[in-house]
Amino acid sequence: MEIRNIFCVGRNYRLHAEELGNEVPKSPMIFAKPTHALAEASGQTIQLPGDRGEVHYEAELVIRIGKPYQHGMTVDQLVDHLALGIDFTLRDVQSELKKKGHPWLPAKGFRNSAVLTSFREFPGEQACKQTDFSLRKNGQQVQRGNISDMLFDLQTVIDFIASHFGLGEGDIIYTGTPAGVGPVANGDRLQLLWGDEVLGECVIKLV
Ligand code: ZN
């Protein structure tokens, strides 16, 4: 499936904003990744930078936009597929960038920083709220989230992105991570679950 723009929402879950000592934002905080950052979580080994401080996992629900945005369209009209993703983050690099007031790209946009499971049909926003997503590291659950806990819901995020940056078919949105982020180590096995079902997994190699 063709992927065009990759948008991401920062600090969209209160407990995650607080665990990093960040203020809860008053409007959606959006950043983007290059498509070169994409990597599929289909069981393979994924290489991440091992020489730039801690690399953190951030498990997130990812939605795919299925048609050109027009004002007034609902989430269920616009979104055609969902996946789970990991928004990998160079946390130490990000802290330095924040201090300097520089853009986040070096901390968020590196190769393989946008991991994605396969896509499945979007069941509708209400149905999504019935299912938790989670991340297991080496067999243990480290993050669990539900989109009902988002600070800015899918409609707000979609409308915000569309009005500021444009939004169209093939764009995907990483919708933010719940609490529990942490570093990966060489050989870690990460599994992304939708309810009880594993949608994708990968093994980490720091290089
Ligand atoms: Zn994130």
Side-chain angles (χ1 to χ4, degrees), residues 66-85:
K67 53 181 75 153
Y69 176 90
Q70 285 182 315
H71 185 69
M73 287 172 86
T74 65
V75 172
D76 289 357
Q77 288 171 323
L78 279 163
V79 177
D80 63 354
H81 287 84
L82 73 76
L84 296 176

Side-chain angles (χ1 to χ4, degrees), residues 55 57 134-143 180-185 187-193 202 204:
V55 188
Y57 53 79
S134 61
L135 179 71
R136 282 188 199 152
K137 187 171 92 165
N138 303 324
Q140 283 215 315
Q141 181 178 291
V142 287
Q143 285 191 281
V181 302
V184 290
D188 278 348
R189 178 159 165 255
L190 301 177
Q191 294 173 298
L192 289 155
L193 287 89
C202 59
I204 300 307

Side-chain angles (χ1 to χ4, degrees), residues 9 31 58 60 87 108 176-177:
V9 189
F31 58 95
E58 296 189 357
E60 315 199 356
D87 162 22
K108 291 284 201 179
T177 197

